[in-house]
Amino acid sequence: MTIFNSVFTWFMKKRIHQIELFMKYPNEVQEEWFEQLINAAENTEWGRKYGYKSITHLEQFKERVPIQTYDTLKPYIERMLRGEQNVLWPSEIRWFAKSSGTTSDRSKFIPVSEEALEECHFKGGKDLLTIYFNNTPNARMFTGKILTLGGSYQVSQLSADTSFGDLSAVLMKNLPLWAELHRTPHMDIALLEDFEEKIEKIAHATIDVNVTSLSGVPTWNILLFKRILEITGKKNLLEVWPNLEMYFHGAVNFTPYREQFKNLIPNDDMYYLENYNASEGFFGIQDTREPGEMLLMLDYGIFYEFLPLEQLHDENPQTLTLDEVVLDKNYALIISTNAGLWRYLIGDTVKFTSLSPFRIQVTGRTKHFINAFGEELIIDNAERALEEACQQTGAIIRDYTAAPVYFNGDECGAHEWVIEFEKKPAEFERFVDILDETLRRINSDYDAKRFKDMALRRPIVRKAPEGTFFNWMKEKGKLGGQHKVPRLANNREYIDEILKVMELVG
């Protein structure tokens, strides 16, 4: 262990210097990666189609290659799933991350090249550790094991040569030996497909392990932690794992879960480190102890473009590069990667909190918002308003979703919220008022529609019985991994299904 720590300390110091370089020269680093990506793919089918060999500058690239979605790349990806190579990227691609960020029945299969594994996802994982150890000189994480709660994988039926699974499972199946030695539980348990069986077996397999750090999506981690406390009869996780010091989290906003984690891990020194690691790539890491923003990682084989949200549905949208973005404006994230995703609209929206260095916040999804009445409510608004309502009423939220209620006769519209509370607010009506008042304060469009209840009346908030969201996700076959409850929707598809589950649970 001492030798490993010494080797890692050497690597960490070297890597911190490289991170400081791209922080200092962000545009130059991005320009270099743009050239490398174009040159690497010039002889692929895609590269030949768009004349990559003759592209000499970014504007040519933008003119020739339209912005892509999964649907436009799907025909190419389906051929790759059947084993065809040199389609979007020159190196052999055998792995695909099965992605479904919502409860949609449609799954996406994102290609994961060897370069994407090594230069992006694994590099991001190493950088998580590097930043943590750099910020925490007395860290003792490697004296124990990291508990990872991931997804599952299976061999594709389209080709014996290709496999797909949840991103976390793809990463686990390809981990280097040193990383696998520091992880728990055993792979046979970690990759179980039945989520409830997995939770049960992980709980029993890890209660006697010296777990020093945790990794996973907060929603599913909490279910595991509660089961462990039930089995052991302990009051909190520190009684089970006294050396616990770190939690790596991502995929969802951590704010609604923060109080639950404080109760489960009552230690003011517990380190929470957010990362932005999607199936399409590893994009950001929280590089300071202050939560709420992440350093945009610029040397992972990804070239970034940013589309102002108001241009999202324009016929000829104009994307921006890093030197053109401004603070506190919402952009749709567009990437070109070393796995063959070209000008790919991943569906996330971000805003910049700092331009030197470039730090971002994930503000929502391009498809997850409510704009039924021109209110333009995004997830960032919802999270901030719920946080304020919780703070002022002592509430803790387990899960939530919201959708519009349409005009009905003389009755104006509204937003209907379904909230499953870990701890109910002391004054429920005050909770609703604070939610509404905060939304009016931070979103002028919402405030305008709420004026004298002309378009929107006071929010309708329904308290969901315990287990509502779990049972709904289970019914959809979306337990575990990177699956998550859609927070906002511009239609009532999700909320009407959840209301039916509430009737059954209640």
Side-chain angles (χ1 to χ4, degrees), residues 363-487:
T363 54
R365 299 278 295 170
T366 55
K367 293 184 179 179
H368 290 186
F369 56 85
I370 305 179
N371 194 30
F373 312 100
E375 65 275 44
E376 297 188 14
L377 186 74
I378 62 173
I379 292 174
D380 184 55
N381 299 155
E383 301 282 8
R384 287 168 63 186
L386 287 169
E387 182 182 18
E388 185 70 23
C390 285
Q391 284 182 352
Q392 293 198 37
T393 62
I396 299 175
I397 289 175
R398 183 178 294 157
D399 252 317
Y400 77 90
T401 196
V405 176
Y406 300 109
F407 291 125
N408 183 18
D410 294 331
E411 197 170 47
C412 66
H415 289 172
E416 185 171 14
W417 298 71
V418 175
I419 303 176
E420 187 175 332
F421 290 97
E422 181 76 17
K423 180 184 177 185
K424 292 178 182 176
E427 302 170 73
F428 182 71
E429 295 304 322
R430 184 164 172 258
F431 176 93
V432 179
D433 285 335
I434 295 168
L435 172 66
D436 184 37
E437 290 162 7
T438 307
L439 287 174
R440 296 189 69 166
R441 188 178 73 250
I442 63 179
N443 183 327
S444 58
D445 292 311
Y446 178 87
D447 184 49
K449 303 306 178 292
R450 283 284 289 115
F451 181 68
K452 293 186 177 179
D453 290 354
M454 290 178 67
L456 281 174
R457 63 188 189 272
R458 184 173 179 261
I460 302 163
V461 180
R462 304 195 186 280
K463 290 177 276 190
E466 184 176 346
T468 294
F469 285 94
F470 178 87
N471 287 321
W472 179 61
M473 295 289 277
K474 183 179 179 180
E475 188 179 281
K476 307 288 282 187
K478 302 292 183 182
L479 290 179
Q482 291 187 306
H483 299 304
K484 40 198 176 283
V485 172
R487 298 311 195 191

Side-chain angles (χ1 to χ4, degrees), residues 213-264:
S213 58
L214 308 163
S215 175
V217 177
T219 317
W220 309 122
N221 276 118
I222 285 173
L223 291 176
L224 171 64
F225 301 158
K226 288 185 174 180
R227 182 61 187 136
I228 285 170
L229 295 182
E230 285 175 5
I231 293 168
T232 61
K234 304 295 185 183
K235 294 179 181 177
N236 61 66
L237 290 181
L238 295 178
E239 294 183 3
V240 182
W241 302 313
N243 298 317
L244 193 59
E245 62 178 56
M246 153 62 72
Y247 177 45
F248 301 101
H249 64 89
V252 297
N253 189 328
F254 191 58
T255 300
Y257 302 97
R258 197 170 294 279
E259 285 303 313
Q260 292 182 70
F261 271 78
K262 283 183 180 177
N263 293 335
L264 287 164

Side-chain angles (χ1 to χ4, degrees), residues 24-61:
K24 190 175 181 180
Y25 302 106
N27 298 313
E28 291 83 351
V29 169
Q30 277 287 280
E31 287 169 13
E32 187 178 326
W33 267 113
F34 171 71
E35 291 175 8
Q36 286 188 42
L37 292 170
I38 294 296
N39 292 337
E42 63 182 21
N43 290 317
T44 62
E45 180 180 322
W46 183 273
R48 292 193 300 272
K49 178 180 179 180
Y50 289 104
Y52 276 22
K53 267 188 180 178
S54 60
I55 289 178
T56 57
H57 54 80
L58 178 59
E59 287 311 311
Q60 278 183 318
F61 178 63

